[in-house]
Amino acid sequence: MKQSQLFTKTERFAPKDEETKNAQLLTRAGFIEKLMAGVYNYLPLGLLTLRKIEQVVREEMNRIGGQEILMPMLHPKENWEKTQGWNNIDVLFKIKSRTEKEYALGQSEEEVVTPLVMRRARNEKNLPLAVYQIHWKFRDELRAKSGLLRGKEFFMKDMYSFHADQADFDKFYEIAKTAYLKIFKRLGLVAKVTEASGGSFSQKISYEFMVLTDAGEDDILYCDKCVFCVNREIAPSTSSGRAKENETCPKCKQGKLNRAKASEVGNVFDLGQKYGKDFDLGFTARDGTKKFPIMGCYGIGISRLMGVIVEKIHDDKGIVWPEAITPFKIHLLSLGQNERAEKIYDNLIKNNIEVLYDDRNISAGEKFADADLIGLPYRLVVSEKSLKAGGVELKRRSESKSKVIKEKDIIKNLK
Ligand code: ATP
Ligand code: MG
């Protein structure tokens, strides 16, 4: 992509009403623009990034047997009444049509996916099944002040699995947890897993995947020696006993518990038989009896992840994208050398290397500042100086050193 053709421009100052780094930097760099609190436009660079994150998640969901579908965002009221969600879920957006008919906007999709899948899985031999989608969700959140970390409209991957019995569910639950850790690692994040028993109502266990960041809204305790991690909201009731800040870890009995702020980037939840029962949709088991499926749901906040990654990886000049999800790998800057740069640009494209080419007629200082703000992993500068030194200047966004490489070695160096 040529930067002269990009319809978005970088901004020197962040909008006054944005409090978080992710919203400030992503807006200044031209990735997103706020329409209203908790609702953002995704501009060309932002959409490319979102799609990259989405693709990493998709690959890992496909790998564990998830089948991708797309479900509607507009839901009939009846389905939400069947599960008691219509009256009990405070974040549910409700819409009335001109004929006074009522609808809900999807804030989660158990109400749609349960009838969809269970009408087809009539028999035990049709199970297990896991379907997922990557789509918009709507929630009437009260405090939408954290940029992409908390939207009223946000992008989520939600998977739902259906099992004939608990053992089969437990097996898949572990597989999904492992896939989640792999996803966050691929995205360059370290996610801690909190164990949150589903409260006093059930023995069901949910796991939250937390990334430490001061912009996060969760308050966690984690062990500095082992994997123990717990949400402070439920800390007193963990299976491992009481957990308190600065005390010895109840799990390994060696480490100390640290308190930190974190953002929940994903979670997995044991839904039990609730939804099958609510819709009275079961299957015929091998022994001929009617049973309800054990279901699991598995969410990942795709747009929240984009915000969390910016919160975690930036410096005072701008964003520093990890290679796995950068909108482009290379930022090619021409300093008055468009003829030479154009050839390099064409060659990069021919070699399937994603490149943003700054061909604009502006000062070198502005180009460098923009490159740092946008944060692509590699910067290639073609200037009179670099050509005199024998080629083009290559620099990683995360390092301050640069080196001059020969034009013919560019592809080799980047690969
Ligand atoms: P939170 O406690 O942050 O409100 P949640 O428990 O309500 O999250 P889920 O319903 O499990 O979240 O949704 C799955 C994932 O979607 C979350 O782990 C999170 O990454 C993301 N998510 C949830 N709410 C939002 C939101 N308002 N904006 C952006 N992402 C969100
Ligand atoms: Mg919530």
Side-chain angles (χ1 to χ4, degrees):
M1 175 174 268
K2 289 187 176 169
Q3 222 167 328
S4 60
Q5 284 159 22
L6 199 58
F7 88 96
T8 59
K9 302 276 170 279
T10 57
E11 310 272 350
R12 195 188 290 244
F13 300 106
K16 285 196 188 67
D17 59 347
E18 292 288 15
E19 297 169 11
T20 50
K21 268 285 166 217
N22 78 85
Q24 292 170 353
L25 287 172
L26 287 166
T27 307
R28 283 187 54 210
F31 284 64
I32 60 171
E33 186 175 286
K34 181 152 81 179
L35 178 64
M36 57 184 164
V39 182
Y40 287 87
N41 290 293
Y42 287 81
L43 306 173
L45 297 176
L47 184 59
L48 282 169
T49 312
L50 199 71
R51 294 281 181 245
K52 289 272 180 80
I53 300 173
E54 177 186 328
Q55 187 53 24
V56 168
V57 175
R58 174 177 290 117
E59 283 169 19
E60 298 305 330
M61 292 298 98
N62 289 346
R63 216 188 290 278
I64 64 172
Q67 299 183 39
E68 186 170 9
I69 58 173
L70 205 51
M71 291 180 277
M73 299 185 275
L74 190 62
H75 300 176
K77 176 184 184 180
E78 295 73 42
N79 292 39
W80 284 90
E81 281 180 321
K82 283 219 169 85
T83 63
Q84 313 295 322
W86 186 264
N87 291 319
N88 293 329
I89 296 183
D90 51 3
V91 295
L92 188 67
F93 270 114
K94 299 166 185 175
I95 297 179
K96 199 176 261 172
S97 79
R98 53 186 163 164
T99 57
E100 300 283 305
K101 201 171 153 52
E102 291 182 290
Y103 302 87
L105 289 182
Q107 64 92 34
S108 186
E109 307 267 336
E110 287 83 355
E111 280 73 5
V112 174
V113 79
T114 307
L116 177 74
V117 169
M118 289 314 294
R119 282 202 198 102
R120 286 163 179 79
R122 308 305 293 267
N123 203 288
E124 182 163 350
K125 69 173 193 291
N126 304 126
L127 297 173
L129 271 175
V131 299
Y132 75 95
Q133 67 171 354
I134 301 176
H135 213 187
W136 297 102
K137 293 282 176 291
F138 298 86
R139 292 189 186 177
D140 193 358
E141 304 276 9
L142 291 181
R143 291 172 304 117
K145 288 189 181 159
S146 310
L148 296 189
L149 268 45
R150 185 162 302 280
K152 293 185 180 182
E153 175 178 336
F154 59 98
F155 215 43
M156 193 209 279
K157 185 281 300 177
D158 44 328
M159 181 164 77
Y160 306 88
S161 71
F162 299 78
H163 307 268
D165 55 51
Q166 193 63 40
D168 191 60
F169 171 83
D170 291 344
K171 203 169 77 193
F172 187 74
Y173 208 45
E174 276 311 308
I175 291 171
K177 260 177 75 184
T178 308
Y180 267 40
L181 290 173
K182 194 164 162 203
I183 288 168
F184 300 127
K185 194 165 170 202
R186 281 184 65 183
L187 297 176
L189 295 170
V190 178
K192 296 192 173 292
V193 189
T194 70
E195 187 176 315
S197 68
S200 50
F201 321 104
S202 70
Q203 273 91 26
K204 296 184 188 69
I205 291 198
S206 70
Y207 297 97
E208 296 170 339
F209 296 77
M210 296 284 184
V211 173
L212 301 189
T213 165
D214 283 337
E217 295 169 356
D218 287 283
D219 197 3
I220 64 166
L221 293 175
Y222 67 95
C223 176
D224 58 9
K225 289 242 162 62
C226 78
V227 296
F228 181 80
C229 180
V230 65
N231 204 319
R232 280 191 75 243
E233 258 176 39
I234 60 130
S237 62
T238 70
S239 53
S240 329
R242 270 170 192 283
K244 283 206 193 88
E245 190 181 355
N246 288 328
E247 286 189 355
T248 308
C249 170
K251 187 178 182 113
C252 69
K253 316 262 189 258
Q254 290 178 15
K256 191 184 77 151
L257 293 184
N258 293 325
R259 185 172 168 182
K261 293 192 75 181
S263 180
E264 181 195 311
V265 288
N267 72 21
V268 298
F269 205 88
D270 176 353
L271 298 172
Q273 294 180 313
K274 172 179 166 52
Y275 290 92
K277 285 182 177 165
D278 284 350
F279 285 96
D280 193 22
L281 283 168
F283 61 91
T284 307
R286 291 218 166 79
D287 60 11
T289 58
K290 179 176 167 179
K291 281 189 182 161
F292 293 106
I294 312 273
M295 285 174 59
C297 74
Y298 314 80
I300 289 188
I302 306 277
S303 50
R304 178 178 286 182
L305 270 167
M306 185 165 152
V308 165
I309 288 164
V310 174
E311 290 289 339
K312 296 288 289 183
I313 329 175
H314 67 263
D315 59 20
D316 54 357
K317 295 188 181 123
I319 306 169
V320 186
W321 289 111
E323 269 192 57
I325 61 152
T326 184
F328 297 96
K329 184 167 175 174
I330 313 291
H331 207 154
L332 174 64
L333 273 52
S334 159
L335 306 186
Q337 300 292 336
N338 280 21
E339 212 172 300
R340 292 292 277 269
E342 191 96 15
K343 288 214 180 75
I344 295 170
Y345 176 63
D346 290 341
N347 195 34
L348 286 167
I349 289 177
K350 222 168 48 207
N351 282 277
N352 288 321
I353 297 176
E354 296 160 332
V355 51
L356 178 64
Y357 167 32
D358 195 347
D359 56 337
R360 296 172 300 170
N361 195 9
I362 57 171
S363 76
E366 284 172 280
K367 288 193 180 189
F368 287 133
D370 272 5
D372 282 338
L373 178 60
I374 291 171
L376 307 185
Y378 297 94
R379 191 184 76 188
L380 267 183
V381 179
V382 194
S383 63
E384 201 183 312
K385 189 174 130 206
S386 80
L387 292 171
K388 265 197 195 127
V392 297
E393 187 191 84
L394 174 66
K395 188 182 101 61
R396 287 180 88 115
R397 175 63 181 85
S398 55
E399 290 169 8
S400 50
K401 288 194 313 281
S402 66
K403 63 175 180 185
V404 173
I405 58 172
K406 294 199 184 100
E407 252 180 77
K408 66 173 177 52
D409 292 337
I410 291 176
I411 305 298
K412 193 174 76 193
N413 264 277
L414 293 172
K415 283 194 167 155

